[in-house]
Amino acid sequence: MHNDAPAPPEACSSMTELREAIDTLDRQLVGLLARRQRYVERAAILKQNRTAVRDEGRVEEVIAKVIAEGRKAGLSPDIAGAVWRSLIDASIVHEFSAFDGKSSAN
């Protein structure tokens, strides 16, 4: 069953149902991450110099916002922090690649 709204965890009465719900959420997350990546790629186009790609102040601002939002939603701060740090690190690597690619495209 591939529907957009997975059953709530407490409604899952088997591991099969639970796994299907997690798979549904994973598909949704992949779509959101792909959309986020397009914003990162756009940032590489808009930034004028390579040193602007990694902004430590912005990284910490994003992490703080995500942890605060996660707390409201019931997400562990440890999970939120670890996931977003990994996401941001990978995004920065991708953005450097996109930034360098725009130089060679000209």
Side-chain angles (χ1 to χ4, degrees), residues 87-100:
L87 174 60
I88 290 169
D89 287 347
S91 294
I92 288 169
V93 169
H94 185 75
E95 188 177 342
F96 272 125
S97 178
F99 186 91
D100 293 344

Side-chain angles (χ1 to χ4, degrees), residues 5 9 14-16 21 24 33 38 46 50 52-53 56 65 67 69 72 76 81 94-95 99 106:
S14 70
M15 285 305 298
T16 299
T24 297
L33 289 170
R38 290 192 299 274
L46 295 175
R50 198 172 194 275
V53 171
E56 287 302 325
K65 286 179 182 180
I67 288 172
E69 193 62 32
K72 290 185 217 171
S76 160
H94 185 75
E95 188 177 342
F99 186 91
N106 292 329

